[in-house]
C-alpha cells in the first residue's frame, strides 16, 4: 500500500518573512510543441537544486472550434477537417509531471489544466494519482479558458468532494453530487491522497468576482502586476478578503510572475534586458545578483507578494544563473530556505492540510 | 535475424498489474525492469473507472524514466473522455518514454461508469467499440499530421486491442497494431488470427502489419512437477479469466515455441497470477530458454516500441498510400 507521508503541520508564520519561489515552463512565448523531455528534466532538476517550492507547467491553447472539441464523433464527417496539425503532440502537463516524479524528490509539481475540456471525475482522479505517486507534491493550476466562473467553482467543489470521499483511514464511501453543471454519483477509485487535496492554484482574474473566488477557495494565486504599488494594493485587498471566509492570511499565498535578468554590473544587466524583449506586464528584476536578491526580499517584506513565479528565458541555462547566484544571497539574508523542511508541497508553501469533510 | 524455425522472432509482452488495488508504484518499476531484462516487447497495465486503482497511464509515465527500452502500454478507455484529452495523454506518454508508448484501447460499458460522468447513459457495446475505433483514428491522424514536421516520424503510439470480446474484433482488425486473442490451442488462436487478418485486408490494410499475440494467464508456482492433466506440458486450460497455464517455466517455453512454430500467433501476452514470483520465473526460465533457441531477442536493436514489434507506419496509411512505408 502507498504509505501516507507524515507531512505534519508546518509552522504557520516563520520568524522572518520567507520568500516562496517557483518556475514556469515554458519560459517564453515559444510553443512547447518541440520541447523534448530532456528540457523538462533539466528545468526540474535546476529548480529543485534551487530548493524552489514548485515547477509549474503551462498549457498550450487548444485548437479552434466549439469548446476546442474535435468534431463530434457521433456525426459522420470527415475527421480530417478542423484538426489543427499544431495541436497534436503538445505535451499534456499531468503526464509530464508523473514522469518528472521519477527524476525529482522534493519539488512541487503543478499542472495547468483547463476545466473547460475535462470532467471532474477523471481530472480529480488524475490529480489524486499524481499526488500519490509524488508522495504529496501535486498542484493544479485551475485554468478556465471559456468556462463561466460558476462552472469553475462547481468543478472545484466536486473535485474536493471526490478527494474527500475516502476517509483518511482508507474507507471508500459513495459520493453523489447534483448541481447546476454536474450531476454525478458513484465511488472514487483513488484513496485520499497524501496532501488531502492537491494544492489549488488560480491565475488572478482582475474582476471583483474573480478575486472573491480566489480568496474563498484557492491555496495560491498567480498575479501579473509589474508595478510594486499596484501589487501591494492587490495583495492587501485579497488578503483582506480572507477573514470573510474564515481563513487566515497565511492560508492563501500570492505569487507574482516575474522575469529576471542578471549581469555582473547593473549596466550589463540592463543591456541584456533590452535584448531580451518585453516582460509582458510582469514584474521584472534587472541587475546584479545582489540587487535582485535585495529587491525580491524587499518585495516580500513590504507586502507586494509572498513570492515569485519566475518565467525564465527559454534558452538552456535560463534558470541556472538565478539558482547559482541569487538563491545563495537570499539564503544569506534569511529570506529563503536552506533546505526543504518537509516533503509535501503544502509544507513548502506553509499551507495547512485541508480539513477532511466527511 | 531469422530464428531457426523460419518465422519472425517471438514477441513477448507481460501484464504488470498487481492484485491489491493501490500498490506501491516501486513494484511496477521493479516488474517492468524485470520484463525489460528479459527482452520483452512491452508491459501492459490495466485500468477501469469501475474498480479502485490509480490512473494506469500516469503510473507508466512514472515508470518511463526508470526504464530504457521496453514498451509501455496502459489501458485507456475512450467512452467518457474527450478524444483530444485521450490523444494528448497518450502522445505525452510517448514523448516522456522517447517513443515507447502504446495504448490498450478499451470501452466503459456499465451504467455505473456512466454515472461517474453524468453525460450519457450506458450504450450498446457495438456502439462503444465503433466510437473507440473513431477515437483511435482521430488520434492517429493528429499524430501523423504532427509528424510531418517531426524529425523522427513514425513514432505514433502503438494501438493494442484485446480482441477476446467479439464486439472488439472489427475495431481491432481495422485500427489495431497489436491484437490480443485467447485460445487453449494453436487452432483456436490461428482461427481468430485468420478472421482478423481477413477483416484487416477488407479494410485496405496489409494484414502482416497486424501483430497477433496469444493471451495466457500463467501460474508458475509449483514448477515443472505441476504438470497435471490439462496443464503444464499438456497445454492451458480454459477458466473464467481465460486460458490458464499452470506448470513450470521450461514446459511453458516448449508450449510457446510449439505454438509459434505453427504460425498461429506472433507471440504471447502473459499475465502472471503472482507478478513478482511468476515474472521472475518467466524471465529467468522461460525467456532465457527461448533466447537460447534463437526465438527471442537477447538485446533491443531498436529504441521504439514500433521497432520492437517490427511495425512501420501507422496502419491507416496503407489505405492512403497503398502500402509503402
Amino acid at each position: 500500500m502507498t504509505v501516507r507521508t507524515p507531512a505534519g503541520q508546518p509552522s504557520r508564520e516563520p520568524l522572518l518573512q520567507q520568500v516562496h519561489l517557483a518556475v514556469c515552463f515554458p519560459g517564453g512565448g515559444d510553443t512547447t510543441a518541440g520541447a523534448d523531455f530532456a528540457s523538462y528534466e533539466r528545468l526540474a532538476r535546476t529548480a529543485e537544486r534551487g530548493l524552489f517550492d514548485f515547477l509549474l507547467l503551462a498549457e498550450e491553447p487548444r485548437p479552434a472550434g466549439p469548446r476546442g472539441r474535435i468534431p463530434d464523433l457521433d456525426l459522420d464527417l470527415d475527421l480530417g477537417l478542423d484538426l489543427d496539425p499544431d495541436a497534436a503532440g503538445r505535451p499534456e502537463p499531468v503526464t509530464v509531471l508523473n514522469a518528472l516524479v521519477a527524476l525529482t524528490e522534493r519539488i512541487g509539481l503543478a499542472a495547468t489544466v483547463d476545466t473547460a475540456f475535462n470532467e471532474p471525475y477523471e481530472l480529480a482522479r488524475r490529480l489524486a494519482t499524481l499526488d500519490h505517486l509524488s508522495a504529496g507534491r501535486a498542484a493544479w493550476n485551475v485554468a478556465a479558458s471559456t468556462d463561466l466562473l460558476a462552472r469553475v467553482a462547481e468543478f472545484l467543489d466536486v473535485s474536493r468532494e471526490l478527494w474527500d470521499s475516502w476517509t483518511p483511514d482508507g474507507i471508500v464511501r459513495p459520493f453523489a453530487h447534483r448541481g447546476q453543471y454536474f450531476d454525478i454519483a458513484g465511488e472514487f477509485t483513488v484513496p485520499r491522497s497524501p496532501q488531502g487535496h492537491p494544492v489549488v492554484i488560480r491565475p488572478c482574474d482582475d474582476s471583483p468576482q474573480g478575486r472573491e473566488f480566489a480568496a474563498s477557495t484557492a491555496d495560491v494565486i498567480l498575479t501579473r502586476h509589474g508595478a510594486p504599488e499596484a501589487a501591494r494594493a492587490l495583495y492587501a485587498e485579497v488578503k483582506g478578503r480572507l477573514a470573510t471566509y474564515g481563513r487566515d492570511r497565511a492560508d492563501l499565498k500570492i505569487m507574482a510572475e516575474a522575469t529576471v535578468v542578471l549581469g555582473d554590473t547593473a549596466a550589463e544587466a540592463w543591456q541584456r534586458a533590452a535584448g531580451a524583449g518585453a516582460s509582458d506586464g510582469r514584474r521584472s528584476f534587472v541587475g546584479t545578483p545582489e540587487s535582485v536578491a535585495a529587491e525580491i526580499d524587499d518585495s516580500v517584506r513590504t507586502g507586494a507578494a509572498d513570492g515569485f513565479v519566475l518565467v525564465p528565458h527559454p534558452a538552456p541555462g535560463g534558470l541556472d544563473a538565478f539558482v547559482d547566484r541569487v538563491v545563495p544571497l537570499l539564503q544569506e539574508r534569511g529570506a529563503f530556505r536552506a533546505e526543504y523542511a518537509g516533503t509535501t508541497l503544502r509544507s513548502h508553501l506553509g499551507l495547512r492540510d485541508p480539513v477532511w469533510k466527511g | 535475424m531469422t530464428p531457426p524455425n523460419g518465422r519472425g522472432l517471438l514477441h513477448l509482452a507481460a501484464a504488470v498489474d498487481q492484485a491489491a488495488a493501490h500498490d506501491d508504484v516501486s513494484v511496477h518499476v521493479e516488474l517492468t525492469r524485470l520484463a525489460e531484462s528479459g527482452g520483452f516487447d512491452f508491459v501492459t497495465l490495466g485500468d477501469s473507472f469501475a474498480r479502485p486503482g490509480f490512473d494506469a497511464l500516469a503510473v507508466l509515465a512514472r515508470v518511463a524514466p526508470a526504464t530504457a527500452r521496453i514498451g509501455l502500454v496502459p489501458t485507456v478507455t475512450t467512452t467518457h473522455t474527450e478524444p483530444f484529452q485521450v490523444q494528448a495523454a497518450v502522445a505525452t506518454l510517448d514523448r516522456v518514454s522517447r517513443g515507447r508508448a502504446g495504448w490498450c484501447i478499451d470501452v466503459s460499458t456499465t451504467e455505473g461508469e456512466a454515472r461517474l460522468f453524468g453525460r450519457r447513459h450506458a450504450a450498446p457495446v457495438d456502439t462503444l467499440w465503433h466510437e473507440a475505433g473513431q477515437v483511435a483514428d482521430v488520434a492517429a491522424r493528429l499524430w501523423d499530421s504532427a509528424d510531418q514536421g517531426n524529425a523522427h516520424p513514425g513514432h505514433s503510439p502503438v494501438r493494442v486491442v484485446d480482441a477476446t470480446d467479439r464486439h472488439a474484433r472489427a475495431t481491432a482488425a481495422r485500427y489495431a497494431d497489436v491484437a490480443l486473442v485467447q485460445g487453449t490451442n494453436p487452432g483456436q488462436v490461428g482461427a481468430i488470427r485468420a478472421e482478423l487478418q481477413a477483416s484487416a485486408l477488407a479494410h485496405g490494410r496489409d494484414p502482416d502489419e497486424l501483430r497477433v499475440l496469444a493471451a495466457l494467464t500463467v501460474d508458475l508456482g509449483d514448477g515443472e512437477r505441476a504438470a497435471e492433466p490439462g496443464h503444464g506440458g499438456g497445454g492451458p486450460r480454459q477458466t473464467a479469466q481465460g486460458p490458464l497455464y499452470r506448470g513450470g517455466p521450461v514446459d511453458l517455453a516448449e508450449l510457446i515455441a510449439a505454438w509459434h512454430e505453427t504460425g498461429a500467433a506472433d507471440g504471447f501476452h502473459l499475465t502472471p497470477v503472482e507478478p513478482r514470483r511468476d515474472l521472475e520465473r518467466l524471465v529467468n526460465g522461460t525467456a532465457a530458454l527461448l533466447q537460447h533457441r534463437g526465438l527471442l531477442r537477447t538485446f533491443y536493436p531498436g529504441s521504439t516500441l514500433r521497432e520492437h514489434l517490427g511495425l512501420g507506419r501507422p496502419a491507416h496509411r496503407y489505405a492512403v498510400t497503398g502500402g509503402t512505408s
Side-chain angles (χ1 to χ4, degrees), chain A residues 87-314:
Chain A
R90 281 178 185 167
E92 187 280 307
V94 181
T95 305
V96 173
L97 294 178
N98 277 307
L100 289 176
V101 166
L103 303 167
T104 54
E105 291 178 354
R106 293 294 184 94
I107 192 166
L109 302 167
T112 304
V113 187
D114 199 318
T115 57
F117 312 119
N118 286 278
E119 294 294 340
Y121 186 87
E122 182 164 37
L123 181 56
R125 181 174 186 253
R126 298 176 69 224
L127 291 166
T129 299
L130 177 64
D131 205 40
H132 276 284
L133 298 189
S134 65
R137 298 191 277 141
W140 172 24
N141 180 29
V142 186
S145 59
T146 58
D147 261 354
L148 294 170
L149 200 56
R151 186 178 183 276
V152 180
E154 193 180 327
F155 197 119
L156 198 50
D157 285 345
V158 181
S159 300
R160 286 176 166 149
E161 286 169 36
L162 294 169
W163 293 329
D164 278 343
S165 70
W166 287 64
T167 66
D169 49 359
I171 309 296
V172 60
R173 299 163 321 146
F175 69 87
H177 173 99
R178 174 171 285 194
Q180 189 183 353
Y181 298 96
F182 304 104
D183 177 6
I184 64 175
E187 280 185 5
F188 195 50
T189 67
V190 181
R192 189 170 178 78
S193 73
Q195 294 188 103
H197 303 167
V199 170
V200 170
I201 303 172
R202 268 288 287 172
C204 191
D205 167 350
D206 272 337
S207 70
Q209 299 91 330
R211 291 181 184 187
E212 205 67 55
F213 175 62
S216 68
T217 196
D219 296 310
V220 176
I221 65 170
L222 303 182
T223 68
R224 192 186 277 199
H225 276 277
E229 307 73 42
R232 273 192 287 273
L234 175 77
Y235 186 94
E237 190 205 325
V238 173
K239 292 267 179 174
R241 290 178 197 241
L242 290 170
T244 317
Y245 301 99
R247 308 179 75 197
D248 289 349
R249 290 174 70 83
D251 289 340
L252 172 70
K253 297 295 186 273
I254 299 175
M255 297 182 68
E257 292 183 14
T259 59
V260 175
V261 183
L262 298 174
D264 288 331
T265 63
E268 186 190 299
W270 282 106
Q271 202 174 3
R272 279 194 189 150
S279 62
D280 213 5
R282 299 180 179 99
R283 182 73 187 268
S284 183
F285 298 108
V286 181
T288 62
E290 291 76 13
S291 72
V292 167
E295 230 184 311
I296 288 174
D297 187 14
D298 187 58
S299 296
V300 171
R301 282 173 194 277
T302 58
D306 292 308
F308 293 94
V309 178
L310 304 186
V311 182
H313 194 268

Side-chain angles (χ1 to χ4, degrees), chain A residues 1-2 32-38 40-41 62-63 67-70 73-75 78-80 83-85 87-92 95-96 98-99 101-103 117-119 121-122 125-126 129 132-133 151 166 175 181-187 189-191, chain B residues 20-25 47-59 61-66 77 80-85 87-93 95-98 112 115-120 130-131 134-135 137-139 141-143 145-146:
Chain A
M1 289 296 296
T2 303
T32 55
D36 65 356
F37 184 57
Y40 292 99
E41 181 181 346
R62 294 282 296 246
R67 283 190 64 194
R69 280 179 186 277
I70 288 172
L73 289 169
D74 294 327
L75 300 176
D78 180 0
L79 293 164
L83 295 182
D84 175 359
R90 281 178 185 167
E92 187 280 307
T95 305
V96 173
N98 277 307
V101 166
L103 303 167
F117 312 119
N118 286 278
E119 294 294 340
Y121 186 87
E122 182 164 37
R125 181 174 186 253
R126 298 176 69 224
T129 299
H132 276 284
L133 298 189
R151 186 178 183 276
W166 287 64
F175 69 87
Y181 298 96
F182 304 104
D183 177 6
I184 64 175
E187 280 185 5
T189 67
V190 181
Chain B
H22 298 99
D23 287 277
D24 191 339
V25 172
D47 201 356
S48 163
F49 297 122
R51 51 129 184 86
F54 293 144
D55 180 73
L57 188 142
V59 170
R62 163 64 184 81
V63 169
T77 53
H80 297 295
T81 308
E82 196 203 55
F84 189 90
Q85 295 293 4
Q87 70 79 30
V90 175
T92 305
L93 179 63
R95 180 187 295 245
V96 302
S97 65
R98 299 184 167 92
R115 281 295 291 135
L116 301 171
F117 291 83
R119 298 291 173 218
R120 62 191 290 191
H130 180 67
E131 284 174 5
Q134 290 190 303
V135 174
D137 191 37
V138 170
R141 284 167 193 253
L142 274 168
W143 297 331
S145 60

Side-chain angles (χ1 to χ4, degrees), chain B residues 36-49:
Chain B
E36 188 171 64
S37 75
F40 283 49
D41 288 54
F42 61 90
V43 295
T44 59
L45 184 60
D47 201 356
S48 163
F49 297 122

Side-chain angles (χ1 to χ4, degrees), chain B residues 14 38 55 67 80 97 100 107 127 145 152 165 181 197 234 245-246:
Chain B
D55 180 73
T67 53
H80 297 295
S97 65
R100 295 187 283 132
V107 298
T127 306
S145 60
H152 305 286
D165 183 348
V181 306
Q197 287 188 322
Y245 168 88
R246 182 180 292 145

